[in-house]
């Protein structure tokens, strides 16, 4: 797979999943994860999320901007490593505003607490198991019968 195809694969998995587990590093150095809905994923893998200025993820990113965001659906998964920044630009918030975000912030894009997290993606690893659960079970049985290594599909690492 070419680098361009790998990036496209990563973007497709993210767009199909929509909810990512954002992992940050807290003030004590521990990893902390929580689900966030991705608002936009750029062709270069950069990610945008809405959140609040008073949240733990904002505090963690301001302390240490290194993050990881993982996405998954039935047979495909991706893990994106990058650097996050807190964006408070009101015009950018207005431009990205949508009805789903309004459920969390009913006062609209001018809500003082609302902000964006932009993840500048450095790399991503993806895994894909074509054929779904049945193909995975079949591969497992085959590996047991033939005493060979279990293989369920493709994987790759992409620089973003």
């Amino acid at each position: 797979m070419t680098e361009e195809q790998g990036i496209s694969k990563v973007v497709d998995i993210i767009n199909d999943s929509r909810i990512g587990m954002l992992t940050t590093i807290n003030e004590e150095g521990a990893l902390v994860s929580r689900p966030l809905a991705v608002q936009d994923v750029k062709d270069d893998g950069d990610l945008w999320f809405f959140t609040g200025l008073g949240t733990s993820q904002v505090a963690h990113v301001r302390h240490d901007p290194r993050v990881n965001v993982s996405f998954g659906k039935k047979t495909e998964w991706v893990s994106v490593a990058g650097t996050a920044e807190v964006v408070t630009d009101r015009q950018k918030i207005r431009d990205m505003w949508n009805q789903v975000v309004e459920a969390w912030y009913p006062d609209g894009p001018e809500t003082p607490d609302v902000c964006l997290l932009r993840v500048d993606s450095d790399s991503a690893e993806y895994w894909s198991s074509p054929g779904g659960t049945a193909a995975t079970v079949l591969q497992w049985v085959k590996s047991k019968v033939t005493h060979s290594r279990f293989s369920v599909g493709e994987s790759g690492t992409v620089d973003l």
Side-chain angles (χ1 to χ4, degrees):
M1 183 176 288
T2 68
E3 192 77 8
E4 187 175 290
Q5 289 170 322
I7 293 170
S8 178
K9 179 77 168 171
V10 165
V11 170
D12 288 346
I13 294 170
I14 293 169
N15 279 328
D16 287 346
S17 302
R18 303 305 305 165
I19 303 294
M21 289 298 291
L22 172 72
T23 301
T24 56
I25 302 168
N26 73 10
E27 294 81 357
E28 290 79 37
L31 299 174
V32 181
S33 299
R34 80 283 286 152
L36 286 179
V38 68
Q39 298 303 309
D40 191 22
V41 57
K42 300 296 183 188
D43 290 338
D44 61 0
D46 286 359
L47 308 169
W48 289 87
F49 301 91
F50 274 99
T51 192
L53 288 170
T55 61
S56 62
Q57 56 265 26
V58 167
H60 296 171
V61 163
R62 287 182 168 159
H63 176 74
D64 187 334
R66 295 175 296 163
V67 298
N68 186 273
V69 189
S70 59
F71 297 86
K73 58 180 196 164
K74 289 184 180 182
T75 60
E76 294 183 303
W77 307 268
V78 66
S79 177
V80 178
T83 305
E85 72 170 311
V86 178
V87 177
T88 58
D89 179 292
R90 284 293 142 201
Q91 188 55 53
K92 184 68 175 171
I93 290 169
R94 282 192 225 57
D95 291 346
M96 296 189 76
W97 196 259
N98 61 66
Q99 289 182 344
V100 174
V101 178
E102 201 159 303
W104 293 98
Y105 299 99
D107 293 334
E110 303 307 320
T111 304
D113 186 54
V114 74
C115 66
L116 293 162
L117 279 182
R118 182 181 75 85
V119 176
D120 181 10
S121 302
D122 297 325
S123 65
E125 291 187 57
Y126 65 89
W127 300 266
S128 180
S129 179
T133 305
T136 301
V137 170
L138 183 60
Q139 284 298 322
W140 180 80
V141 170
K142 179 182 171 186
S143 75
K144 295 302 272 179
V145 170
T146 63
H147 301 289
S148 60
R149 184 172 166 86
F150 181 71
S151 173
V152 293
E154 69 174 315
S155 65
T157 301
V158 179
D159 289 326
L160 299 169

